[in-house]
């Protein structure tokens, strides 16, 4: 909302702004297309006034079965119309979607930059074949332009249940720190231009009840832990200081395992 953007602007924080277009909708339906365009126009009516918005994401992880149902051309047509609206209303702001690792068949040149949510534990082609660094490099090589690659989600959950040691949930605080730094370094070495760690604080709402911190892996990815509904400050997990220290350096070119003239 505009009220939230007002607060963020006071601290000069840069934003990649998400606009929610339902990734499960039937994109070939003209009514759904019109509604999506209206929603984007409504958001841009106020977001265009904030210079700290540096980019827009218009959809998150549209699944292959949904795109196949509507048709690839119809889906791209929807994205293209929305991109045109944003370019018109908020010039010089690049636009993309956040894709998952099973959406590499989508031509990334449709968008102004490439964006993917990439976790170390899935899919098996990443976990057991390419490994994280080379998978990021693979994503980077999919595009035919110089547009940057952004990893819009990476992180690890410290839920009580789960396999642990960098799996989906069950990681210790030390494993979270170790694994997040591994992914961070690997995405830099793989050629990503930027990243967004998932996430700042635990997602209490993800298990279904926003007032209860359920034992569900999705609810425990935070860099900061809030212990109760009355906790206004939270407690930083060890990964917070580790990530803060890692990104205190500005990496301009050098990467591990590369030879430079």
């Amino acid at each position: 909302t505009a009220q939230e953007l007002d607060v963020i602007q006071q601290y000069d924080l840069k934003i990649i702004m998400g606009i929610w277009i339902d990734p499960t909708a039937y994109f070939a339906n003209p009514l759904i297309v019109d509604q999506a365009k209206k929603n984007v126009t409504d958001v841009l009516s106020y977001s265009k006034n904030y210079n700290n918005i540096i980019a827009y994401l218009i959809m998150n992880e549209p699944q292959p079965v949904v795109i196949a149902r509507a048709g690839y051309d119809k889906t791209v047509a929807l994205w293209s119309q929305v991109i045109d609206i944003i370019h018109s209303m908020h010039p010089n702001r690049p636009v993309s979607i956040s894709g998952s690792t099973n959406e590499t068949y989508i031509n990334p040149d449709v968008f102004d930059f490439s964006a993917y949510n990439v976790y170390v534990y899935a899919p098996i082609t990443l976990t057991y074949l390419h490994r994280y660094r080379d998978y990021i490099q693979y994503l980077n090589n999919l595009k035919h332009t110089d547009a940057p690659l952004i990893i819009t989600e990476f992180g690890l959950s410290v839920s009580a249940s789960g396999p642990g040691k960098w799996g989906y949930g069950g990681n210790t605080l030390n494993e979270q720190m170790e694994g997040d730094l591994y992914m961070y370094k690997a995405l830099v070495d793989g050629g990503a231009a930027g990243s967004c760690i998932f996430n700042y604080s635990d997602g209490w709402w993800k298990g279904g009840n926003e007032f209860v911190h359920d034992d569900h892996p999705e609810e425990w990815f935070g860099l900061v832990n809030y212990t109760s509904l009355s906790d206004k400050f939270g407690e930083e997990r060890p990964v917070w200081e580790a990530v803060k220290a890692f990104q205190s350096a500005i990496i301009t070119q050098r990467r591990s395992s590369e030879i430079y003239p």
Side-chain angles (χ1 to χ4, degrees):
T1 65
Q3 291 81 4
E4 291 170 320
L5 290 172
D6 284 339
V7 173
I8 294 171
Q9 187 170 244
Q10 293 176 27
Y11 297 94
D12 194 31
L13 293 173
K14 308 306 180 187
I15 304 169
I16 298 177
M17 178 85 169
I19 301 178
W20 183 254
I21 297 176
D22 186 356
T24 66
Y26 182 50
F27 307 136
N29 185 335
L31 294 178
I32 289 176
V33 173
D34 288 344
Q35 185 60 53
K37 291 161 63 178
K38 181 182 183 302
N39 290 346
V40 170
T41 301
D42 289 345
V43 172
L44 267 290
S45 67
Y46 63 84
S47 69
K48 65 182 180 181
N49 299 317
Y50 295 88
N51 290 328
N52 57 326
I53 294 176
I54 61 173
Y56 287 90
L57 293 171
I58 55 176
M59 191 175 289
N60 186 65
E61 298 186 357
Q63 295 302 301
V65 65
V66 177
I67 295 175
R69 187 176 69 220
Y72 183 79
D73 291 344
K74 292 289 187 181
T75 304
V76 171
L78 167 61
W79 290 332
S80 298
Q81 292 178 70
V82 169
I83 291 170
D84 287 344
I85 292 172
I86 296 174
H87 285 171
S88 174
M89 297 185 69
H90 202 165
N92 302 315
R93 295 306 187 273
V95 185
S96 188
I97 65 168
S98 287
S100 67
T101 48
N102 65 356
E103 281 138 33
T104 55
Y105 63 91
I106 297 172
N107 181 4
D109 297 331
V110 171
F111 309 104
D112 298 318
F113 63 99
S114 296
Y116 296 91
N117 304 332
V118 187
Y119 295 88
V120 73
Y121 45 78
I124 57 173
T125 51
L126 185 161
T127 307
Y128 298 109
L129 182 60
H130 296 299
R131 302 298 177 95
Y132 202 89
R133 178 204 182 278
D134 288 345
Y135 195 84
I136 299 300
Q137 190 170 49
Y138 157 70
L139 294 177
N140 205 22
N141 291 338
L142 288 176
K143 50 191 175 59
H144 298 96
T145 68
D146 292 330
L149 166 67
I150 308 297
I151 305 306
T152 38
E153 287 183 21
F154 75 99
L156 289 169
S157 170
V158 293
S159 59
S161 61
K165 191 52 178 179
W166 303 5
Y168 180 53
N171 296 285
T172 65
L173 294 179
N174 190 64
E175 287 170 350
Q176 180 193 39
M177 177 178 65
E178 177 188 60
D180 281 0
L181 288 182
Y182 166 81
M183 283 184 281
Y184 205 155
K185 184 176 185 300
L187 67 88
V188 170
D189 289 343
S195 64
C196 306
I197 195 165
F198 185 85
N199 52 343
Y200 171 74
S201 59
D202 290 339
W204 282 40
W205 71 94
K206 291 248 177 173
N209 185 345
E210 63 182 301
F211 302 110
V212 177
H213 205 347
D214 297 304
D215 179 22
H216 188 294
E218 284 294 310
E219 292 205 4
W220 293 86
F221 277 83
L223 306 182
V224 177
N225 174 39
Y226 287 85
T227 57
S228 69
L229 297 178
S230 60
D231 183 358
K232 292 181 172 56
F233 300 100
E235 179 183 2
E236 298 167 358
R237 293 188 172 122
V239 65
W240 173 273
E241 285 297 331
V243 168
K244 180 180 175 182
F246 184 87
Q247 64 187 18
S248 64
I250 299 175
I251 301 170
T252 57
Q253 185 187 54
R254 301 280 177 184
R255 302 187 190 116
S256 301
S257 305
E258 296 288 343
I259 299 174
Y260 293 87

